[in-house]
Amino acid sequence: GPRGMALIPQLSYMTGGTGRIVVTTLETSRFTTRLGGRQVTLEQKSGFPLSGQTTLTVRISGPATFALWVRSPQWAAPMTLQLRGARLSLQAPPGGWAVMPARAWHDGDTVRVRFRLAAAVLRGDHGNKGKDALTWGPMVMAYESGLNASLGSPARVALEAGAPAHLAAASAKPFALTAAVSAPGDTRARPAVFVPFAEAGGKGGVYRVWLRDSRTALAPNASVFAFGEESRSVPGNVEGSITDGDPRTYVVTFNA
């Protein structure tokens, strides 16, 4: 994990031996390299994760010739690239590369990139059969109990099939989506807050990526405690629950 994080800056922009700049990120960033003996800077100003558009601007002291490759992820399709001031517009193939052939670039040249950015539901299989996960572009979202106190434990709620997810307020910190969930014994679908998996649990709340699909019935559970209110006064060495509807989880109070 730490090694992978350290490699991200090196892999976000790369140069090829044939005179090209390869762009693999769609986030606001800046990259400087030397091509043909000249220093070239590529500045990227992006609306991600709030909007599916970004602009690449070339900063250079004089003309330089190179090709520009921009990664076109499957989730971003359809993606288009348009060079301002020139009749050059590309439709990028999903899961491939948008390639602008080698040309003479000048200071201030800009390329506008537009891409699809939307919520999607992943259907679980194997160990996650009967469950769904919510994504936003490349980000996996998570339901966190601390942000959804009135809705309860993640094991209790189900992601509503077919219900669209929406951006929370643009000023929301952290970035969040709202999507409809339901709970046993409650026929109403109610909005829940989802945050990126990387930020979930930051304040100690219980979180989960895979939620029960609302079309999947709860497993039989004869416990009279299921989905009841739970409290404890002594910290335990097993931080589970006896009220979440999952007979595999439990809690103990250590040294009680």
PDB file of all heavy atoms in Angstrom, residues 112-145:
ATOM      1  N   ARG A 112      -9.379  20.696 -23.996  1.00  0.00           N
ATOM      2  CA  ARG A 112     -10.505  20.497 -23.085  1.00  0.00           C
ATOM      3  C   ARG A 112     -10.930  19.038 -23.137  1.00  0.00           C
ATOM      4  O   ARG A 112     -11.181  18.494 -24.214  1.00  0.00           O
ATOM      5  CB  ARG A 112     -11.678  21.396 -23.463  1.00  0.00           C
ATOM      6  CG  ARG A 112     -12.921  21.162 -22.603  1.00  0.00           C
ATOM      7  CD  ARG A 112     -14.003  22.174 -22.883  1.00  0.00           C
ATOM      8  NE  ARG A 112     -13.622  23.488 -22.377  1.00  0.00           N
ATOM      9  CZ  ARG A 112     -14.409  24.572 -22.463  1.00  0.00           C
ATOM     10  NH1 ARG A 112     -15.591  24.465 -23.053  1.00  0.00           N
ATOM     11  NH2 ARG A 112     -14.000  25.725 -21.980  1.00  0.00           N
ATOM     12  N   VAL A 113     -10.996  18.432 -21.977  1.00  0.00           N
ATOM     13  CA  VAL A 113     -11.383  17.024 -21.867  1.00  0.00           C
ATOM     14  C   VAL A 113     -12.720  16.948 -21.152  1.00  0.00           C
ATOM     15  O   VAL A 113     -12.892  17.505 -20.069  1.00  0.00           O
ATOM     16  CB  VAL A 113     -10.325  16.213 -21.082  1.00  0.00           C
ATOM     17  CG1 VAL A 113     -10.713  14.734 -21.048  1.00  0.00           C
ATOM     18  CG2 VAL A 113      -8.940  16.390 -21.692  1.00  0.00           C
ATOM     19  N   ARG A 114     -13.669  16.277 -21.779  1.00  0.00           N
ATOM     20  CA  ARG A 114     -14.970  16.057 -21.155  1.00  0.00           C
ATOM     21  C   ARG A 114     -15.175  14.555 -21.008  1.00  0.00           C
ATOM     22  O   ARG A 114     -14.874  13.793 -21.928  1.00  0.00           O
ATOM     23  CB  ARG A 114     -16.091  16.664 -21.990  1.00  0.00           C
ATOM     24  CG  ARG A 114     -16.010  18.183 -22.111  1.00  0.00           C
ATOM     25  CD  ARG A 114     -17.230  18.740 -22.853  1.00  0.00           C
ATOM     26  NE  ARG A 114     -17.161  20.175 -23.025  1.00  0.00           N
ATOM     27  CZ  ARG A 114     -17.544  21.071 -22.131  1.00  0.00           C
ATOM     28  NH1 ARG A 114     -18.049  20.647 -20.976  1.00  0.00           N
ATOM     29  NH2 ARG A 114     -17.442  22.363 -22.357  1.00  0.00           N
ATOM     30  N   PHE A 115     -15.702  14.143 -19.868  1.00  0.00           N
ATOM     31  CA  PHE A 115     -15.885  12.718 -19.623  1.00  0.00           C
ATOM     32  C   PHE A 115     -17.118  12.491 -18.753  1.00  0.00           C
ATOM     33  O   PHE A 115     -17.595  13.391 -18.065  1.00  0.00           O
ATOM     34  CB  PHE A 115     -14.652  12.103 -18.960  1.00  0.00           C
ATOM     35  CG  PHE A 115     -14.194  12.807 -17.711  1.00  0.00           C
ATOM     36  CD1 PHE A 115     -14.617  12.388 -16.456  1.00  0.00           C
ATOM     37  CD2 PHE A 115     -13.329  13.898 -17.785  1.00  0.00           C
ATOM     38  CE1 PHE A 115     -14.199  13.041 -15.303  1.00  0.00           C
ATOM     39  CE2 PHE A 115     -12.904  14.557 -16.632  1.00  0.00           C
ATOM     40  CZ  PHE A 115     -13.329  14.120 -15.391  1.00  0.00           C
ATOM     41  N   ARG A 116     -17.611  11.272 -18.811  1.00  0.00           N
ATOM     42  CA  ARG A 116     -18.797  10.913 -18.031  1.00  0.00           C
ATOM     43  C   ARG A 116     -18.395  10.729 -16.574  1.00  0.00           C
ATOM     44  O   ARG A 116     -17.435  10.033 -16.261  1.00  0.00           O
ATOM     45  CB  ARG A 116     -19.405   9.612 -18.562  1.00  0.00           C
ATOM     46  CG  ARG A 116     -20.619   9.120 -17.783  1.00  0.00           C
ATOM     47  CD  ARG A 116     -21.162   7.842 -18.398  1.00  0.00           C
ATOM     48  NE  ARG A 116     -22.314   7.324 -17.662  1.00  0.00           N
ATOM     49  CZ  ARG A 116     -22.223   6.513 -16.624  1.00  0.00           C
ATOM     50  NH1 ARG A 116     -21.030   6.097 -16.193  1.00  0.00           N
ATOM     51  NH2 ARG A 116     -23.306   6.090 -16.002  1.00  0.00           N
ATOM     52  N   LEU A 117     -19.155  11.357 -15.692  1.00  0.00           N
ATOM     53  CA  LEU A 117     -18.926  11.198 -14.260  1.00  0.00           C
ATOM     54  C   LEU A 117     -20.290  11.020 -13.616  1.00  0.00           C
ATOM     55  O   LEU A 117     -21.096  11.955 -13.574  1.00  0.00           O
ATOM     56  CB  LEU A 117     -18.212  12.428 -13.687  1.00  0.00           C
ATOM     57  CG  LEU A 117     -17.841  12.371 -12.206  1.00  0.00           C
ATOM     58  CD1 LEU A 117     -16.893  11.209 -11.923  1.00  0.00           C
ATOM     59  CD2 LEU A 117     -17.205  13.679 -11.755  1.00  0.00           C
ATOM     60  N   ALA A 118     -20.571   9.819 -13.153  1.00  0.00           N
ATOM     61  CA  ALA A 118     -21.900   9.524 -12.624  1.00  0.00           C
ATOM     62  C   ALA A 118     -21.820   8.395 -11.617  1.00  0.00           C
ATOM     63  O   ALA A 118     -20.811   7.694 -11.520  1.00  0.00           O
ATOM     64  CB  ALA A 118     -22.849   9.148 -13.768  1.00  0.00           C
ATOM     65  N   ALA A 119     -22.901   8.231 -10.889  1.00  0.00           N
ATOM     66  CA  ALA A 119     -22.996   7.129  -9.931  1.00  0.00           C
ATOM     67  C   ALA A 119     -23.358   5.845 -10.657  1.00  0.00           C
ATOM     68  O   ALA A 119     -24.023   5.863 -11.695  1.00  0.00           O
ATOM     69  CB  ALA A 119     -24.056   7.446  -8.876  1.00  0.00           C
ATOM     70  N   ALA A 120     -22.899   4.745 -10.120  1.00  0.00           N
ATOM     71  CA  ALA A 120     -23.229   3.431 -10.667  1.00  0.00           C
ATOM     72  C   ALA A 120     -23.339   2.445  -9.516  1.00  0.00           C
ATOM     73  O   ALA A 120     -22.723   2.630  -8.460  1.00  0.00           O
ATOM     74  CB  ALA A 120     -22.175   2.973 -11.669  1.00  0.00           C
ATOM     75  N   VAL A 121     -24.123   1.413  -9.728  1.00  0.00           N
ATOM     76  CA  VAL A 121     -24.295   0.368  -8.716  1.00  0.00           C
ATOM     77  C   VAL A 121     -23.633  -0.905  -9.210  1.00  0.00           C
ATOM     78  O   VAL A 121     -23.882  -1.353 -10.328  1.00  0.00           O
ATOM     79  CB  VAL A 121     -25.785   0.108  -8.426  1.00  0.00           C
ATOM     80  CG1 VAL A 121     -25.958  -1.085  -7.491  1.00  0.00           C
ATOM     81  CG2 VAL A 121     -26.424   1.350  -7.816  1.00  0.00           C
ATOM     82  N   LEU A 122     -22.757  -1.461  -8.392  1.00  0.00           N
ATOM     83  CA  LEU A 122     -22.111  -2.731  -8.712  1.00  0.00           C
ATOM     84  C   LEU A 122     -22.887  -3.861  -8.052  1.00  0.00           C
ATOM     85  O   LEU A 122     -23.174  -3.807  -6.853  1.00  0.00           O
ATOM     86  CB  LEU A 122     -20.664  -2.746  -8.194  1.00  0.00           C
ATOM     87  CG  LEU A 122     -19.713  -1.692  -8.750  1.00  0.00           C
ATOM     88  CD1 LEU A 122     -18.330  -1.865  -8.126  1.00  0.00           C
ATOM     89  CD2 LEU A 122     -19.619  -1.771 -10.261  1.00  0.00           C
ATOM     90  N   ARG A 123     -23.223  -4.874  -8.838  1.00  0.00           N
ATOM     91  CA  ARG A 123     -23.927  -6.035  -8.297  1.00  0.00           C
ATOM     92  C   ARG A 123     -22.905  -7.028  -7.765  1.00  0.00           C
ATOM     93  O   ARG A 123     -21.954  -7.384  -8.451  1.00  0.00           O
ATOM     94  CB  ARG A 123     -24.775  -6.693  -9.386  1.00  0.00           C
ATOM     95  CG  ARG A 123     -25.773  -5.760 -10.062  1.00  0.00           C
ATOM     96  CD  ARG A 123     -26.791  -5.207  -9.085  1.00  0.00           C
ATOM     97  NE  ARG A 123     -27.775  -4.343  -9.752  1.00  0.00           N
ATOM     98  CZ  ARG A 123     -28.615  -3.554  -9.132  1.00  0.00           C
ATOM     99  NH1 ARG A 123     -28.598  -3.493  -7.810  1.00  0.00           N
ATOM    100  NH2 ARG A 123     -29.468  -2.812  -9.796  1.00  0.00           N
ATOM    101  N   GLY A 124     -23.089  -7.460  -6.550  1.00  0.00           N
ATOM    102  CA  GLY A 124     -22.136  -8.386  -5.941  1.00  0.00           C
ATOM    103  C   GLY A 124     -22.295  -9.805  -6.448  1.00  0.00           C
ATOM    104  O   GLY A 124     -23.368 -10.212  -6.900  1.00  0.00           O
ATOM    105  N   ASP A 125     -21.209 -10.548  -6.397  1.00  0.00           N
ATOM    106  CA  ASP A 125     -21.259 -11.976  -6.706  1.00  0.00           C
ATOM    107  C   ASP A 125     -20.376 -12.722  -5.714  1.00  0.00           C
ATOM    108  O   ASP A 125     -19.767 -12.127  -4.844  1.00  0.00           O
ATOM    109  CB  ASP A 125     -20.846 -12.268  -8.154  1.00  0.00           C
ATOM    110  CG  ASP A 125     -19.480 -11.679  -8.499  1.00  0.00           C
ATOM    111  OD1 ASP A 125     -18.708 -11.358  -7.568  1.00  0.00           O
ATOM    112  OD2 ASP A 125     -19.175 -11.534  -9.697  1.00  0.00           O
ATOM    113  N   HIS A 126     -20.321 -14.023  -5.840  1.00  0.00           N
ATOM    114  CA  HIS A 126     -19.552 -14.865  -4.925  1.00  0.00           C
ATOM    115  C   HIS A 126     -19.930 -14.524  -3.475  1.00  0.00           C
ATOM    116  O   HIS A 126     -21.084 -14.630  -3.101  1.00  0.00           O
ATOM    117  CB  HIS A 126     -18.050 -14.712  -5.189  1.00  0.00           C
ATOM    118  CG  HIS A 126     -17.656 -15.007  -6.602  1.00  0.00           C
ATOM    119  ND1 HIS A 126     -17.780 -16.266  -7.155  1.00  0.00           N
ATOM    120  CD2 HIS A 126     -17.178 -14.203  -7.586  1.00  0.00           C
ATOM    121  CE1 HIS A 126     -17.381 -16.246  -8.401  1.00  0.00           C
ATOM    122  NE2 HIS A 126     -17.008 -15.001  -8.702  1.00  0.00           N
ATOM    123  N   GLY A 127     -18.978 -14.095  -2.674  1.00  0.00           N
ATOM    124  CA  GLY A 127     -19.260 -13.809  -1.270  1.00  0.00           C
ATOM    125  C   GLY A 127     -20.155 -12.604  -1.063  1.00  0.00           C
ATOM    126  O   GLY A 127     -20.697 -12.412   0.024  1.00  0.00           O
ATOM    127  N   ASN A 128     -20.321 -11.773  -2.096  1.00  0.00           N
ATOM    128  CA  ASN A 128     -21.166 -10.582  -1.986  1.00  0.00           C
ATOM    129  C   ASN A 128     -22.472 -10.726  -2.765  1.00  0.00           C
ATOM    130  O   ASN A 128     -23.123  -9.723  -3.076  1.00  0.00           O
ATOM    131  CB  ASN A 128     -20.412  -9.349  -2.481  1.00  0.00           C
ATOM    132  CG  ASN A 128     -19.315  -8.927  -1.527  1.00  0.00           C
ATOM    133  OD1 ASN A 128     -19.523  -8.901  -0.321  1.00  0.00           O
ATOM    134  ND2 ASN A 128     -18.154  -8.617  -2.059  1.00  0.00           N
ATOM    135  N   LYS A 129     -22.844 -11.939  -3.084  1.00  0.00           N
ATOM    136  CA  LYS A 129     -24.091 -12.155  -3.819  1.00  0.00           C
ATOM    137  C   LYS A 129     -25.268 -11.639  -3.004  1.00  0.00           C
ATOM    138  O   LYS A 129     -25.362 -11.863  -1.793  1.00  0.00           O
ATOM    139  CB  LYS A 129     -24.273 -13.640  -4.112  1.00  0.00           C
ATOM    140  CG  LYS A 129     -25.428 -13.928  -5.060  1.00  0.00           C
ATOM    141  CD  LYS A 129     -25.476 -15.402  -5.439  1.00  0.00           C
ATOM    142  CE  LYS A 129     -26.603 -15.668  -6.420  1.00  0.00           C
ATOM    143  NZ  LYS A 129     -26.657 -17.090  -6.834  1.00  0.00           N
ATOM    144  N   GLY A 130     -26.164 -10.934  -3.691  1.00  0.00           N
ATOM    145  CA  GLY A 130     -27.308 -10.352  -2.999  1.00  0.00           C
ATOM    146  C   GLY A 130     -27.007  -9.003  -2.382  1.00  0.00           C
ATOM    147  O   GLY A 130     -27.846  -8.448  -1.670  1.00  0.00           O
ATOM    148  N   LYS A 131     -25.818  -8.455  -2.666  1.00  0.00           N
ATOM    149  CA  LYS A 131     -25.426  -7.155  -2.127  1.00  0.00           C
ATOM    150  C   LYS A 131     -25.039  -6.219  -3.273  1.00  0.00           C
ATOM    151  O   LYS A 131     -24.702  -6.653  -4.374  1.00  0.00           O
ATOM    152  CB  LYS A 131     -24.257  -7.303  -1.148  1.00  0.00           C
ATOM    153  CG  LYS A 131     -24.576  -8.156   0.070  1.00  0.00           C
ATOM    154  CD  LYS A 131     -23.362  -8.286   0.975  1.00  0.00           C
ATOM    155  CE  LYS A 131     -23.679  -9.164   2.185  1.00  0.00           C
ATOM    156  NZ  LYS A 131     -22.490  -9.311   3.062  1.00  0.00           N
ATOM    157  N   ASP A 132     -25.082  -4.937  -2.986  1.00  0.00           N
ATOM    158  CA  ASP A 132     -24.723  -3.918  -3.964  1.00  0.00           C
ATOM    159  C   ASP A 132     -23.698  -2.959  -3.361  1.00  0.00           C
ATOM    160  O   ASP A 132     -23.656  -2.770  -2.143  1.00  0.00           O
ATOM    161  CB  ASP A 132     -25.949  -3.095  -4.380  1.00  0.00           C
ATOM    162  CG  ASP A 132     -26.962  -3.901  -5.176  1.00  0.00           C
ATOM    163  OD1 ASP A 132     -26.556  -4.888  -5.821  1.00  0.00           O
ATOM    164  OD2 ASP A 132     -28.152  -3.546  -5.143  1.00  0.00           O
ATOM    165  N   ALA A 133     -22.910  -2.351  -4.241  1.00  0.00           N
ATOM    166  CA  ALA A 133     -21.975  -1.305  -3.825  1.00  0.00           C
ATOM    167  C   ALA A 133     -22.187  -0.093  -4.726  1.00  0.00           C
ATOM    168  O   ALA A 133     -22.534  -0.229  -5.902  1.00  0.00           O
ATOM    169  CB  ALA A 133     -20.530  -1.789  -3.916  1.00  0.00           C
ATOM    170  N   LEU A 134     -21.986   1.067  -4.182  1.00  0.00           N
ATOM    171  CA  LEU A 134     -22.185   2.322  -4.902  1.00  0.00           C
ATOM    172  C   LEU A 134     -20.838   2.915  -5.290  1.00  0.00           C
ATOM    173  O   LEU A 134     -19.913   2.968  -4.477  1.00  0.00           O
ATOM    174  CB  LEU A 134     -22.960   3.305  -4.014  1.00  0.00           C
ATOM    175  CG  LEU A 134     -23.337   4.656  -4.622  1.00  0.00           C
ATOM    176  CD1 LEU A 134     -24.340   4.468  -5.755  1.00  0.00           C
ATOM    177  CD2 LEU A 134     -23.936   5.562  -3.536  1.00  0.00           C
ATOM    178  N   THR A 135     -20.721   3.366  -6.550  1.00  0.00           N
ATOM    179  CA  THR A 135     -19.487   4.013  -7.009  1.00  0.00           C
ATOM    180  C   THR A 135     -19.817   5.372  -7.614  1.00  0.00           C
ATOM    181  O   THR A 135     -20.943   5.635  -8.043  1.00  0.00           O
ATOM    182  CB  THR A 135     -18.750   3.164  -8.060  1.00  0.00           C
ATOM    183  OG1 THR A 135     -19.576   3.029  -9.241  1.00  0.00           O
ATOM    184  CG2 THR A 135     -18.426   1.778  -7.521  1.00  0.00           C
ATOM    185  N   TRP A 136     -18.805   6.221  -7.657  1.00  0.00           N
ATOM    186  CA  TRP A 136     -18.902   7.528  -8.325  1.00  0.00           C
ATOM    187  C   TRP A 136     -17.641   7.664  -9.167  1.00  0.00           C
ATOM    188  O   TRP A 136     -16.563   7.881  -8.630  1.00  0.00           O
ATOM    189  CB  TRP A 136     -19.003   8.653  -7.301  1.00  0.00           C
ATOM    190  CG  TRP A 136     -19.019  10.033  -7.891  1.00  0.00           C
ATOM    191  CD1 TRP A 136     -17.986  10.916  -7.954  1.00  0.00           C
ATOM    192  CD2 TRP A 136     -20.144  10.689  -8.504  1.00  0.00           C
ATOM    193  NE1 TRP A 136     -18.376  12.084  -8.558  1.00  0.00           N
ATOM    194  CE2 TRP A 136     -19.700  11.972  -8.904  1.00  0.00           C
ATOM    195  CE3 TRP A 136     -21.465  10.317  -8.749  1.00  0.00           C
ATOM    196  CZ2 TRP A 136     -20.546  12.891  -9.538  1.00  0.00           C
ATOM    197  CZ3 TRP A 136     -22.302  11.235  -9.380  1.00  0.00           C
ATOM    198  CH2 TRP A 136     -21.847  12.503  -9.757  1.00  0.00           C
ATOM    199  N   GLY A 137     -17.787   7.487 -10.482  1.00  0.00           N
ATOM    200  CA  GLY A 137     -16.598   7.458 -11.316  1.00  0.00           C
ATOM    201  C   GLY A 137     -15.680   6.340 -10.841  1.00  0.00           C
ATOM    202  O   GLY A 137     -16.103   5.195 -10.692  1.00  0.00           O
ATOM    203  N   PRO A 138     -14.416   6.660 -10.530  1.00  0.00           N
ATOM    204  CA  PRO A 138     -13.485   5.628 -10.071  1.00  0.00           C
ATOM    205  C   PRO A 138     -13.547   5.368  -8.570  1.00  0.00           C
ATOM    206  O   PRO A 138     -12.860   4.482  -8.076  1.00  0.00           O
ATOM    207  CB  PRO A 138     -12.124   6.229 -10.437  1.00  0.00           C
ATOM    208  CG  PRO A 138     -12.326   7.703 -10.250  1.00  0.00           C
ATOM    209  CD  PRO A 138     -13.747   7.963 -10.704  1.00  0.00           C
ATOM    210  N   MET A 139     -14.370   6.126  -7.846  1.00  0.00           N
ATOM    211  CA  MET A 139     -14.374   6.041  -6.388  1.00  0.00           C
ATOM    212  C   MET A 139     -15.416   5.060  -5.887  1.00  0.00           C
ATOM    213  O   MET A 139     -16.573   5.089  -6.322  1.00  0.00           O
ATOM    214  CB  MET A 139     -14.612   7.417  -5.767  1.00  0.00           C
ATOM    215  CG  MET A 139     -13.523   8.421  -6.060  1.00  0.00           C
ATOM    216  SD  MET A 139     -13.687   9.938  -5.077  1.00  0.00           S
ATOM    217  CE  MET A 139     -15.238  10.582  -5.682  1.00  0.00           C
ATOM    218  N   VAL A 140     -15.009   4.208  -4.954  1.00  0.00           N
ATOM    219  CA  VAL A 140     -15.936   3.315  -4.262  1.00  0.00           C
ATOM    220  C   VAL A 140     -16.459   4.057  -3.037  1.00  0.00           C
ATOM    221  O   VAL A 140     -15.688   4.604  -2.252  1.00  0.00           O
ATOM    222  CB  VAL A 140     -15.232   2.014  -3.848  1.00  0.00           C
ATOM    223  CG1 VAL A 140     -16.172   1.130  -3.042  1.00  0.00           C
ATOM    224  CG2 VAL A 140     -14.724   1.265  -5.080  1.00  0.00           C
ATOM    225  N   MET A 141     -17.778   4.078  -2.890  1.00  0.00           N
ATOM    226  CA  MET A 141     -18.391   4.812  -1.792  1.00  0.00           C
ATOM    227  C   MET A 141     -18.756   3.863  -0.652  1.00  0.00           C
ATOM    228  O   MET A 141     -18.930   2.654  -0.857  1.00  0.00           O
ATOM    229  CB  MET A 141     -19.635   5.557  -2.282  1.00  0.00           C
ATOM    230  CG  MET A 141     -19.400   6.409  -3.521  1.00  0.00           C
ATOM    231  SD  MET A 141     -18.167   7.729  -3.282  1.00  0.00           S
ATOM    232  CE  MET A 141     -19.066   8.833  -2.184  1.00  0.00           C
ATOM    233  N   ALA A 142     -18.899   4.411   0.529  1.00  0.00           N
ATOM    234  CA  ALA A 142     -19.209   3.604   1.705  1.00  0.00           C
ATOM    235  C   ALA A 142     -20.293   4.284   2.541  1.00  0.00           C
ATOM    236  O   ALA A 142     -20.348   5.513   2.637  1.00  0.00           O
ATOM    237  CB  ALA A 142     -17.958   3.398   2.558  1.00  0.00           C
ATOM    238  N   TYR A 143     -21.142   3.461   3.134  1.00  0.00           N
ATOM    239  CA  TYR A 143     -22.158   3.923   4.082  1.00  0.00           C
ATOM    240  C   TYR A 143     -21.520   3.923   5.467  1.00  0.00           C
ATOM    241  O   TYR A 143     -20.928   2.925   5.878  1.00  0.00           O
ATOM    242  CB  TYR A 143     -23.353   2.968   4.042  1.00  0.00           C
ATOM    243  CG  TYR A 143     -24.424   3.223   5.079  1.00  0.00           C
ATOM    244  CD1 TYR A 143     -25.581   3.911   4.748  1.00  0.00           C
ATOM    245  CD2 TYR A 143     -24.287   2.746   6.385  1.00  0.00           C
ATOM    246  CE1 TYR A 143     -26.584   4.123   5.697  1.00  0.00           C
ATOM    247  CE2 TYR A 143     -25.277   2.962   7.337  1.00  0.00           C
ATOM    248  CZ  TYR A 143     -26.421   3.654   6.987  1.00  0.00           C
ATOM    249  OH  TYR A 143     -27.396   3.869   7.936  1.00  0.00           O
ATOM    250  N   GLU A 144     -21.640   5.036   6.184  1.00  0.00           N
ATOM    251  CA  GLU A 144     -21.042   5.142   7.517  1.00  0.00           C
ATOM    252  C   GLU A 144     -22.127   5.474   8.536  1.00  0.00           C
ATOM    253  O   GLU A 144     -22.904   6.422   8.348  1.00  0.00           O
ATOM    254  CB  GLU A 144     -19.959   6.216   7.545  1.00  0.00           C
ATOM    255  CG  GLU A 144     -19.277   6.342   8.902  1.00  0.00           C
ATOM    256  CD  GLU A 144     -18.163   7.377   8.923  1.00  0.00           C
ATOM    257  OE1 GLU A 144     -17.669   7.738   7.834  1.00  0.00           O
ATOM    258  OE2 GLU A 144     -17.803   7.819  10.018  1.00  0.00           O
ATOM    259  N   SER A 145     -22.173   4.697   9.599  1.00  0.00           N
ATOM    260  CA  SER A 145     -23.237   4.872  10.585  1.00  0.00           C
ATOM    261  C   SER A 145     -23.203   6.243  11.250  1.00  0.00           C
ATOM    262  O   SER A 145     -24.238   6.818  11.566  1.00  0.00           O
ATOM    263  CB  SER A 145     -23.144   3.782  11.656  1.00  0.00           C
ATOM    264  OG  SER A 145     -21.889   3.845  12.332  1.00  0.00           O
TER     265      SER A 145
END
